[in-house]
Amino acid sequence: IIDMSAEVTDVLLVENDMLEKIGSLPIGTHHVLRSLRDTLNISLNKAESLLRLYTENHLDEAYEKSLHMTVDTAFMLWFKEFFNLLDQYAQFGILPNTLVIKTNSFMIEWLREQILKQDSLMEHMHANKRIEVIVLFDTQDQLAFHDAELGIFDVLISAQK
């Protein structure tokens, strides 16, 4: 389970309905926004609007192409940390072939696509078959759910106590 929030990304490894490992990446959506802000020399609000338009494919093609490298660079550090954590988890056995992600509703489908298009994903997942990525809510739904409403993280963590 990948929960990319504002300042951190929590990665939970669940096997046979049991929480096996918990890890955090010190990178969240705000890191990406600050990277865009700094690279493009724009306000944080403008960076968020731009990322929203980019991830929802609402920019004209030429402008989107000009932003592609900037957005990829902003996420590069996240992927590096994510793959390092997957490698650590893999030391305890083969990882599941299913990832469940939760993040801002406007980013979730785009993030899913980015994860799946990573050439080294199967290597870092130590997967022997196709990786499946599931989102926790409909990307068209503008109402983001909170962990308590979903109950998934509370249930997983309380099961370990």
Side-chain angles (χ1 to χ4, degrees):
I1 298 172
I2 304 164
D3 181 7
M4 186 179 195
S5 60
E7 296 297 333
V8 298
T9 300
D10 293 317
V11 181
L12 295 80
L13 177 59
V14 179
E15 186 175 16
N16 297 322
D17 297 329
M18 296 292 295
L19 181 61
E20 297 292 331
K21 299 281 178 205
I22 298 175
S24 289
L25 310 177
I27 303 165
T29 57
H30 285 179
H31 169 83
V32 173
L33 293 174
R34 286 189 295 269
S35 177
L36 290 174
R37 174 199 65 194
D38 296 346
T39 302
L40 300 173
N41 197 26
I42 58 177
S43 72
L44 197 57
N45 286 341
K46 179 142 181 156
E48 183 175 3
S49 294
L50 197 56
L51 185 60
R52 179 181 297 267
L53 292 170
Y54 180 85
T55 59
E56 293 177 346
N57 296 316
H58 292 309
L59 297 174
D60 67 65
E61 189 175 331
Y63 192 54
E64 184 176 323
K65 281 184 180 182
S66 72
L67 284 177
H68 185 73
M69 184 64 76
T70 303
V71 173
D72 279 358
T73 301
F75 273 96
M76 195 72 65
L77 183 59
W78 186 87
F79 276 111
K80 180 181 176 201
E81 294 293 326
F82 177 62
F83 287 150
N84 285 340
L85 189 58
L86 289 180
D87 289 339
Q88 290 175 26
Y89 285 177
Q91 294 174 10
F92 300 98
I94 295 177
L95 295 170
N97 289 350
T98 303
L99 298 173
V100 178
I101 57 174
K102 175 185 175 281
T103 192
N104 296 347
S105 60
F106 72 89
M107 285 182 57
I108 200 159
E109 187 58 34
W110 180 85
L111 182 60
R112 177 186 171 282
E113 290 171 9
Q114 296 306 304
I115 289 171
L116 286 172
K117 81 176 196 178
Q118 293 296 313
D119 292 334
S120 56
L121 178 64
M122 286 187 68
E123 173 189 336
H124 290 285
M125 290 286 293
H126 300 265
N128 52 8
K129 62 181 182 178
R130 189 176 147 290
I131 304 295
E132 181 180 6
V133 178
I134 299 170
V135 297
L136 288 179
F137 56 92
D138 186 350
T139 59
Q140 300 305 313
D141 182 6
Q142 294 303 309
L143 298 173
F145 296 105
H146 298 285
D147 294 349
E149 292 169 315
L150 291 169
I152 190 165
F153 299 109
D154 292 334
V155 169
L156 289 171
I157 291 170
S158 65
Q160 292 297 301
K161 293 181 180 178

